[in-house]
Amino acid sequence: MRAGNIRRTVVGDVDGELLAFTVGNDLQTDSVLVEADCIGTAAHVVMLSRLAIQPHIFTQSEVHRVIQELLAIMRDGRAGRFRIRLRDQDVHMAVERRLTRKLGDLGRRVHTGRSRNDQVAVDLRLYSKEQMSRCLEDVCGLVGSLLDSARRYRRTPMVGRTHMQPAMPSTLGLWFAAFAEELLDDLAGLRAAYELNDQCPLGAAAGYGVPMGLDRKLVSDLLGFSRPVGTVLHAINARGKLEGTILDAMGRVMLALSRMASDLILFSIPEFGYLRLPDEFCTGSSIMPQKRNPDVLELIRARTANVLAGALQVKETVRGLPSGYQRDLQETKEPLMRGVEITRGSLRAMSRIIAGLEVDADALRGAFRPDVFAADEALRLTAGGMPFREAYRRVRSDLEKVAARDALAAVAQRSSSGAPGNLRLADLRGRLNRIESWVKSGRAAFHKALGRLLGVEYPELS
Ligand code: ARG
């Protein structure tokens, strides 16, 4: 039996209902890829024009016309005016349709030596490169403000806790510095993912190359990638696993933010009162007039689960796939984009919260009950030669006798490197400066390459 509702698409006839099923969420995800698709197409067309083929596939002036139209599409895309229709199936066919409508045969030629498989792969790598460089910047910005706060509060005593119980004298500065360092570690993971992503898959076509001498190095250089992916089949197979690597790296950043969020929620409840969250970050209750709820922090914590789950989802999607393109890969776009959006949004929100925190040093000091100094007292006894176990037993058997001490003096005695009395913030700042300058120069080189390709200032497009 023949299905009744056949829809003609550019690349085949499909039952209408099933067309919608196969397109799935692509109309949304692909609308995010309009710019990347145009940029990838521009580089492909320039590369084609330079091949030693007579007559040239594109002349210089034809390249110019194609790029002008691609720029118009990019501007429409930014203004929300570029529509991908169901019949297009995806952004790739929508851009090609527009080029063909405006430029006729020039539009019909752009797909020479290319498949949607390497096209979507390059779109996603361009998208990920831009988003990861912004994410790296966002993390660097947050680390910078955590280090500023670490310095500012390095002599602000705070009770250190284990099992949430009061444990040892510490400082608020150590709390800030520890999360700065955790995020510096996570920056290394993001950088590794960025570098893996920074390879150009174009020229792979459907995964097996084409019977033409495409210049894969040239197209990679035009797009500002570090190099082409080595083999054409890997260029296609890498999809999904690469998204998993990116989401894993972002998930680790989210794990840091999630724990920070939990601490900040705890430290700011009235019973603690160590910190006060900026007013504009607290919501009220519809029934209890006194409430200041830390919803933003709670959502950062909850959405961490989405990013971690997205990483698992894309890896599960590619686990067991045969090599070569499979339509399954389409389903990795949504978790990638959702993960990027959550991570960047959470970083921005957390940076603003950190910048706006109010600290109540009296409340912090007020939490120092004398028994927080019990271990200090036991260690003091060992200085006279008493074995630690003996000192421990003595202090424990007479806990009420442990006297309150000056918290700041107790902190200052913790002088080994990285301890509250010796945070070595300059080392952390040095790590931050190094990665920051790497991010900055990489981003500038990327944008410069795209500007040169398009003949405009990038990202302004002017
Ligand atoms: N929407 C597809 C994806 O994201 C684009 C590639 C389609 N290729 C194909 N052979 N059907 O994977």
Side-chain angles (χ1 to χ4, degrees):
M1 197 182 86
R2 208 173 130 77
N5 178 21
I6 298 296
R7 298 285 298 273
R8 166 151 302 167
T9 73
V10 189
V11 288
D13 300 337
V14 198
D15 173 88
E17 188 188 341
L18 297 185
L19 173 64
F21 180 79
T22 56
V23 169
N25 197 34
D26 252 22
L27 299 187
Q28 282 82 12
T29 52
D30 279 23
S31 67
V32 176
L33 297 176
V34 171
E35 185 148 329
D37 201 72
C38 292
I39 292 169
T41 297
H44 182 65
V45 166
V46 170
M47 185 273 290
L48 289 178
S49 76
R50 298 208 196 150
L51 292 182
I53 294 176
Q54 290 302 340
H56 283 298
I57 303 175
F58 291 97
T59 64
Q60 277 306 103
S61 70
E62 288 171 340
V63 169
H64 182 76
R65 286 175 60 205
V66 173
I67 289 183
Q68 292 317 302
E69 191 53 32
L70 288 168
L71 281 167
I73 298 172
M74 288 165 72
R75 293 190 183 104
D76 284 352
R78 287 188 183 187
R81 281 195 312 258
F82 183 75
R83 240 188 96 222
I84 305 170
R85 300 179 319 190
L86 190 59
R87 274 202 314 131
D88 296 322
Q89 296 188 342
D90 49 39
V91 64
H92 323 298
M93 299 316 302
V95 169
E96 189 176 319
R97 178 171 58 80
R98 159 85 172 253
L99 290 174
T100 303
R101 181 162 63 81
K102 294 278 184 169
L103 308 174
D105 273 355
L106 291 187
R108 290 187 192 93
R109 266 189 213 150
V110 295
H111 210 55
T112 314
R114 188 175 72 170
S115 153
R116 277 184 296 168
N117 301 343
D118 61 341
Q119 195 178 353
V120 63
V122 81
D123 290 7
L124 285 163
R125 284 182 188 253
L126 288 168
Y127 162 83
S128 295
K129 185 166 173 173
E130 174 67 24
Q131 292 301 319
M132 280 211 284
S133 90
R134 291 200 210 167
C135 185
L136 280 152
E137 271 178 2
D138 294 343
V139 180
C140 286
L142 178 56
V143 171
S145 34
L146 289 169
L147 288 176
D148 291 344
S149 297
R151 197 181 143 68
R152 177 150 170 217
Y153 298 112
R154 69 193 185 284
R155 296 205 188 88
T156 303
M158 177 168 87
V159 171
R161 292 169 186 276
T162 70
H163 308 265
M164 289 179 74
Q165 307 294 318
M168 287 241 184
S170 180
T171 62
L172 182 58
L174 175 63
W175 186 87
F176 283 113
F179 280 107
E181 185 180 10
E182 180 171 342
L183 287 167
L184 283 167
D185 288 353
D186 297 335
L187 279 168
L190 272 180
R191 177 176 176 161
Y194 178 97
E195 285 173 344
L196 269 183
N197 179 69
D198 193 16
Q199 306 176 63
C200 184
L202 272 187
Y208 304 95
V210 286
M212 302 171 69
L214 300 181
D215 190 342
R216 298 193 57 224
K217 171 82 167 72
L218 172 62
V219 89
S220 171
D221 289 346
L222 289 170
L223 290 170
F225 284 110
S226 71
R227 58 181 177 281
V229 180
T231 55
V232 289
L233 183 55
H234 179 56
I236 302 304
N237 284 350
R239 226 180 132 192
K241 192 166 166 187
L242 181 58
E243 283 76 354
T245 306
I246 293 168
L247 288 168
D248 278 333
M250 293 195 171
R252 289 203 289 274
V253 171
M254 289 304 296
L255 283 175
L257 300 190
S258 180
R259 293 186 78 184
M260 282 173 76
S262 264
D263 276 351
L264 292 173
I265 291 168
L266 181 70
F267 295 163
S268 60
I269 61 174
E271 288 80 352
F272 269 73
Y274 292 176
L275 305 173
R276 190 180 155 89
L277 303 175
D279 281 333
E280 60 276 27
F281 282 92
C282 294
T283 58
S285 153
S286 61
I287 175 170
M288 297 160 286
Q290 85 284 12
K291 290 298 284 294
R292 294 176 79 255
N293 295 329
D295 299 31
V296 175
L297 293 169
E298 290 162 348
L299 289 168
I300 289 175
R301 194 168 58 183
R303 288 180 190 158
T304 299
N306 294 46
V307 181
L308 301 180
L312 184 62
Q313 185 186 338
V314 299
K315 286 182 283 188
E316 277 291 317
T317 303
V318 295
R319 176 184 60 81
L321 282 192
S323 63
Y325 178 82
Q326 324 288 331
R327 193 68 180 267
D328 307 52
L329 295 172
Q330 177 171 298
E331 299 304 290
T332 62
K333 285 189 286 199
E334 198 177 353
L336 172 71
M337 289 175 181
R338 177 95 179 109
V340 165
E341 190 187 310
I342 291 172
T343 307
R344 294 198 49 218
S346 301
L347 282 163
R348 280 195 301 275
M350 186 59 89
S351 294
R352 293 182 55 194
I353 290 177
I354 294 297
L357 278 181
E358 281 170 38
V359 172
D360 186 337
D362 294 336
L364 282 158
R365 263 184 199 269
F368 276 84
R369 293 190 332 211
D371 61 2
V372 174
F373 302 101
D376 290 41
E377 175 59 14
L379 286 163
R380 191 186 63 82
L381 294 176
T382 62
M386 188 185 294
F388 178 73
R389 268 299 149 242
E390 172 64 13
Y392 173 98
R393 198 192 50 77
R394 280 204 196 181
V395 174
R396 185 179 169 94
S397 68
D398 235 345
L399 268 181
E400 310 75 55
K401 279 221 190 108
V402 176
R405 302 181 176 200
D406 177 36
L408 199 52
V411 161
Q413 287 176 338
R414 291 164 157 74
S415 58
S416 49
S417 76
N422 180 16
L423 290 179
R424 302 189 62 106
L425 295 176
D427 293 353
L428 298 177
R429 183 66 72 174
R431 278 178 72 185
L432 175 62
N433 291 343
R434 282 191 293 281
I435 185 125
E436 242 175 352
S437 63
W438 172 81
V439 173
K440 214 167 158 226
S441 63
R443 195 169 161 71
F446 179 42
H447 287 175
K448 195 166 166 213
L450 298 187
R452 206 181 304 122
L453 169 68
L454 299 167
V456 290
E457 289 296 319
Y458 192 86
E460 297 79 10
L461 300 187
S462 56

